[in-house]
Amino acid sequence: MSGRAALGGPRLRPLLLRLPLLLLLRLPAPAAPRSFAVDRARDAFLLDGAPFRYVSGSLHYARVPRRLWPDRLHKMRTAGLNAVQLYVPWNYHEPQPGVYNFRGNGDLPAFLRMAAQEDLLVILRPGPYICAEWEMGGLPSWLLRKPDIVLRTSDPDFLAAVDSWFHVLLPMVQPWLYHNGGNIISVQVENEYGSYFACDFRYMRHLAGLFRALLGDEIVLFTTDGPEELSCGTLQGLYATVDFGPADNMTESFAMQRKYEPRGPLVNSEYYTGWLDYWGWNHSTVGVKSVSKALEDILEVGASVNMYMFHGGTNFGYWNGADWKNKYLPVTTSYDYDAPLSEAGDPTPKLLAIQSVISKFQELPLGPLPPPSPKMKFGPVTLKLDGNLLDFLNVLCPDGPIHTHKPLTFEAVKQDYGFLLYRTRLPQNLTEPTQLWVENNGIRDRAYVMLDGVFQGILERDKEEALFLTGPAGGTLDVLLENMGRISFGYNMSDFKGLVQPLVLGKSVLTDWLLFPLNIDALMDVENRVFETQKNNSESPSGPAFYSAAFQLPGPAWDTFLYLPGWTKGQVWINGFNLGRYWTKRGPQQSLYVPGPLLLPTGALNNITLLELEHAPPRPQIHFLDRPLLNATTH
Ligand SMILES: *[C@@H]1O[C@H](CO)[C@@H](O)[C@H](O)[C@H]1NC(C)=O
Ligand SMILES: *[C@@H]1O[C@H](CO)[C@@H](O)[C@H](O)[C@H]1NC(C)=O
Ligand SMILES: *[C@@H]1O[C@H](CO)[C@@H](O)[C@H](O)[C@H]1NC(C)=O
Ligand SMILES: *[C@@H]1O[C@H](CO)[C@@H](O)[C@H](O)[C@H]1NC(C)=O
Ligand SMILES: *[C@@H]1O[C@H](CO)[C@@H](O)[C@H](O)[C@H]1NC(C)=O
Ligand SMILES: *[C@@H]1O[C@H](CO)[C@@H](O)[C@H](O)[C@H]1NC(C)=O
Ligand SMILES: *[C@@H]1O[C@H](CO)[C@@H](O)[C@H](O)[C@H]1NC(C)=O
């Protein structure tokens, strides 16, 4: 395998040409044409003409800080993998129609280059839909600005958006294809399309044609589906593969693949090493023995395999997705996945067991597996109250509110993620407690209710909690709506956010609203200075409120885990970076991974800001731990 991906991508070539010795050592002589293909005669893949199987692992670059990409890739290679599989999250790269972001953590070519430097081949899954338990399965929420769009079908509006995105993405990827000198050996079309209700072959044919037109005829294109879902997921010309976990019957799963691909390599494109967590559920784990045993069975029959996940990472910011299982289930901030490399990138016993299985089938690369990175523990750090969120509306929504008769959705006011505040006035005196409610489960996803600035409580999607108000006519009713992440897998992913039905007070529908789309992240960018100048010196918080502190580290900027005992639910920023959601009260996740590269070492001041949405503890303190707490029992 050596020399295979060593040339890396096109950008590496000039560098290597300037290093003739390295070039001589690495180039096969005479240079054979680079090729990757499906060989039906030998039921195998062919790499440069020789039978080949990949042992791959999934890593999602948007879930790992860029500075840690080389570390994670190096550990994957050292574990014995020869390939890395990755999704391209469309919504991460095209935040607004026609506006593209490939900088920093979105620098896909840089990621491909780093993988090449580790001698890893790449299996690319560009979507357009990726699931991945990522916000809206990777689809940009701006697609929903046309409310009746039918996602993942040949709806002309959907196809037009997909076409224009792929005309940007695929030409960027094309020079990285293996036969063009890069490391991408295969490209997946759509993602588990057989699990989607639409079963629109016109759509799949359109995508296949687009991939061929932009990537050429030589690249191996494939699909992935659950063994029972292949009929709507496969298409002539796209190699059909399956996905299944250690508890599934491998023989039966591969038999299903064989129905669609009578010859060619057996492939499990998603072999589940662990599982994800939902807020309010138990932490998921999958045993080391079952994962390594079933992996051995897969390798024994000569199949290619990709382990999903090999390194899960973190749903930073607002990027978590959600599932729908008769109710809405948002995914936690941690995407540790109980994967072989932990959320903090440390080798686990599962990784060692997997490495040992791989070593029975192919040679491991030379060199030791790096040890766990150092972690730090310190605190408590005491935060100060900056003020209630309502005191900052002028800076959080500098353009002022939108006036509407009935409430509009996030999508209608182009608020993609985060928070939107709805304000109206009480139409009448409420002398008796009067119920505030929404028809047809119309809260997406949580509403924090204040009357004249005083916190009244919460309304939540799929919960029949009653909220009763008393107050004078004309009182200011504020309803802060939180988007907890759009559904990433299920029948219908048109998961509009906000108040999707009107609020009702007693029997009267509330009208005449002011909508404040809040840009909290912009405020964090300019740091606490805005808080200091705008500070209202609220002595007592009521409902959503900001807290912050500046703190020094006890030493070098090592990884740590932010622990928030007694806090309820909210969002955290460290040095302007949106670390994600916490929900101590619901669990199971109790600590947030803080990657060392986000922090400044001793001598410099780091800043942390919390938006606590409900109740802070009596002493507003936080702690930094040297190990994660992901498995608290929930109630
Ligand atoms: C898996 O399925 C095959 C074929 O149906 C069956 O013969 C075998 O016993 C099953 N294996 C297990 C472990 O259940
Ligand atoms: C969570 O774990 C507890 C304790 O192990 C168990 O009693 C409970 O049934 C589990 N809940 C779910 C939803 O699996
Ligand atoms: C401070 O609070 C007062 C009363 O709650 C409010 O009228 C004012 O707008 C707030 N000031 C700022 C700068 O938000
Ligand atoms: C509400 O009550 C106040 C006095 O309690 C009264 O002056 C006012 O007219 C009432 N307003 C409405 C709209 O009923
Ligand atoms: C999906 O749900 C949205 C909002 O509830 C609805 O408008 C739309 O018609 C649904 N789409 C499908 C395909 O069922
Ligand atoms: C944190 O805030 C302090 C002032 O409170 C400022 O001096 C410092 O530069 C900030 N640090 C970062 C990393 O933004
Ligand atoms: C949670 O995980 C820690 C560390 O892995 C372990 O020591 C502890 O026993 C676990 N607790 C529960 C309740 O599973």
Side-chain angles (χ1 to χ4, degrees):
M1 241 150 301
S2 74
R4 172 175 40 73
L7 278 181
R11 294 206 193 160
L12 276 186
R13 281 192 160 158
L15 176 71
L16 289 176
L17 288 173
R18 273 181 260 120
L19 299 166
L21 180 63
L22 184 61
L23 193 67
L24 280 177
L25 286 176
R26 300 287 236 159
L27 255 192
R34 294 163 64 87
S35 66
F36 185 82
V38 166
D39 180 2
R40 293 202 151 78
R42 278 181 276 186
D43 289 340
F45 287 118
L46 290 186
L47 183 74
D48 298 341
F52 170 80
R53 81 125 134 247
Y54 59 75
V55 180
S56 166
S58 284
L59 181 163
H60 301 151
Y61 53 88
R63 288 183 159 128
V64 180
R66 176 182 174 143
R67 278 171 60 188
L68 299 172
W69 290 349
D71 172 77
R72 306 307 194 245
L73 290 165
H74 178 65
K75 287 167 179 165
M76 290 172 78
R77 181 70 187 117
T78 311
L81 306 186
N82 54 17
V84 54
Q85 190 206 61
L86 49 118
Y87 278 131
V88 180
W90 178 8
N91 52 10
Y92 198 73
H93 292 290
E94 193 178 353
Q96 296 299 324
V99 177
Y100 302 100
N101 175 20
F102 289 95
R103 286 173 288 108
N105 246 77
D107 192 343
L108 174 60
F111 185 88
L112 295 171
R113 189 163 57 243
M114 290 177 197
Q117 280 160 355
E118 285 297 337
D119 215 9
L120 286 164
L121 296 167
V122 170
I123 299 157
L124 191 78
R125 308 208 287 174
Y129 165 78
I130 61 170
C131 183
E133 289 84 58
W134 187 257
E135 221 302 320
M136 205 169 155
L139 300 177
S141 64
W142 47 256
L143 292 168
L144 299 177
R145 291 177 195 169
K146 183 176 178 294
D148 56 355
I149 194 167
V150 188
L151 303 168
R152 303 176 69 196
T153 68
S154 47
D155 178 328
D157 290 305
F158 185 70
L159 288 188
V162 168
D163 285 359
S164 86
W165 160 234
F166 276 160
H167 273 85
V168 172
L169 176 69
L170 297 183
M172 180 183 289
V173 155
Q174 198 266 352
W176 287 90
L177 302 183
Y178 186 76
H179 56 268
N180 292 335
N183 50 355
I184 298 174
I185 51 172
S186 59
V187 178
Q188 182 184 288
V189 178
E190 246 282 346
N191 186 66
E192 295 187 329
Y193 191 62
S195 303
Y196 193 53
F197 79 95
C199 197
D200 180 350
F201 283 106
R202 205 152 69 84
Y203 164 61
M204 283 299 282
R205 275 196 299 273
H206 178 90
L207 287 183
L210 187 65
F211 278 61
R212 284 284 170 228
L214 293 169
L215 296 179
D217 290 334
E218 203 174 331
I219 184 71
V220 171
L221 297 180
F222 71 104
T223 56
T224 302
D225 284 285
E228 305 297 330
E229 324 284 351
L230 281 150
S231 66
C232 287
T234 63
L235 194 72
Q236 190 84 37
L238 309 179
Y239 193 73
T241 73
V242 287
D243 50 20
F244 58 88
D248 298 311
N249 186 317
M250 175 191 76
T251 311
E252 288 181 353
S253 300
F254 280 143
M256 295 303 283
Q257 188 197 352
R258 277 281 173 254
K259 281 195 181 169
Y260 291 84
E261 299 293 355
R263 301 304 305 262
L266 295 173
V267 182
N268 183 349
S269 290
E270 288 191 3
Y271 173 62
Y272 304 107
T273 60
W275 204 249
L276 56 134
D277 284 351
Y278 305 112
W279 292 115
W281 283 39
N282 288 338
H283 177 53
S284 305
T285 56
V286 177
V288 172
K289 279 218 178 79
S290 71
V291 170
S292 54
K293 172 70 178 70
L295 175 66
E296 187 161 353
D297 294 345
I298 291 173
L299 295 180
E300 195 70 59
V301 298
S304 282
V305 62
N306 171 71
M307 286 171 258
Y308 188 100
M309 297 296 298
F310 204 82
H311 173 49
T314 309
N315 292 311
F316 294 117
Y318 308 112
W319 289 116
N320 69 279
D323 267 337
W324 178 267
K325 288 178 186 159
N326 296 318
K327 65 177 199 156
Y328 171 75
L329 295 171
V331 174
T332 56
T333 300
S334 171
Y335 198 67
D336 177 87
Y337 214 85
D338 196 28
L341 272 179
S342 73
E343 182 177 11
D346 292 329
T348 63
K350 193 176 281 179
L351 183 137
L352 299 178
I354 286 171
Q355 185 186 42
S356 146
V357 168
I358 294 173
S359 73
K360 297 182 190 171
F361 297 90
Q362 57 194 42
E363 228 174 295
L364 296 178
L366 292 175
L369 194 60
S373 63
K375 306 289 188 297
M376 60 184 170
K377 176 179 180 171
F378 64 99
V381 172
T382 301
L383 307 191
K384 65 174 170 43
L385 173 67
D386 292 309
N388 292 323
L389 176 132
L390 294 180
D391 296 335
F392 293 99
L393 289 188
N394 54 340
V395 289
L396 295 173
C397 182
D399 295 338
I402 300 158
H403 191 180
T404 68
H405 182 64
K406 288 206 173 155
L408 303 173
T409 62
F410 274 53
E411 292 76 13
V413 300
K414 303 187 178 178
Q415 173 78 359
D416 297 304
Y417 311 111
F419 300 88
L420 174 59
L421 184 89
Y422 296 73
R423 171 174 283 179
T424 189
R425 298 199 172 274
L426 290 190
Q428 74 238 21
N429 286 326
L430 306 177
T431 46
E432 298 296 320
T434 307
Q435 191 175 359
L436 181 70
W437 59 290
V438 179
E439 288 179 316
N440 302 322
N441 199 14
I443 299 279
R444 305 287 168 80
D445 302 295
R446 288 193 111 218
Y448 307 86
V449 179
M450 279 76 62
L451 183 53
D452 285 327
V454 179
F455 187 47
Q456 305 292 312
I458 291 153
L459 294 172
E460 188 174 325
R461 185 172 183 173
D462 300 321
K463 290 242 160 117
E464 301 208 352
E465 281 162 332
L467 203 56
F468 291 87
L469 306 181
T470 49
T476 302
L477 180 65
D478 284 308
V479 185
L480 178 70
L481 262 290
E482 178 185 12
N483 164 4
M484 282 288 295
R486 291 186 183 78
I487 291 172
S488 43
F489 183 84
Y491 177 76
N492 188 345
M493 287 175 304
S494 291
D495 188 17
F496 297 93
K497 294 304 187 185
L499 287 175
V500 301
Q501 294 284 330
L503 266 179
V504 184
L505 186 59
K507 287 186 179 120
S508 39
V509 170
L510 292 171
T511 57
D512 216 3
W513 291 90
L514 295 176
L515 272 49
F516 297 78
L518 304 183
N519 192 347
I520 302 176
D521 292 83
L523 181 68
M524 297 304 152
D525 275 351
V526 293
E527 274 314 321
N528 297 343
R529 266 168 283 147
V530 175
F531 280 128
E532 273 146 31
T533 53
Q534 294 287 334
K535 199 165 154 186
N536 231 344
N537 293 314
S538 315
E539 300 261 305
S540 55
S542 191
F546 290 104
Y547 295 81
S548 65
F551 61 96
Q552 292 212 29
L553 303 188
W558 286 340
D559 282 1
T560 185
F561 301 90
L562 172 63
Y563 179 47
L564 300 142
W567 297 79
T568 309
K569 182 183 196 308
Q571 196 86 28
V572 187
W573 291 261
I574 289 192
N575 293 333
F577 180 84
N578 190 334
L579 200 62
R581 307 174 208 269
Y582 65 90
W583 201 345
T584 309
K585 196 169 172 194
R586 196 157 289 184
Q589 181 177 1
Q590 299 292 303
S591 67
L592 298 183
Y593 173 50
V594 183
L598 285 183
L599 299 169
L600 301 171
T602 325
L605 278 180
N606 292 282
N607 299 309
I608 184 163
T609 302
L610 263 58
L611 169 58
E612 166 58 55
L613 294 160
E614 298 178 40
H615 300 286
R619 289 159 69 88
Q621 293 183 330
I622 55 172
H623 303 256
F624 292 91
L625 307 180
D626 55 7
R627 63 188 178 89
L629 281 175
L630 299 177
N631 59 355
T633 318
T634 60
H635 314 286

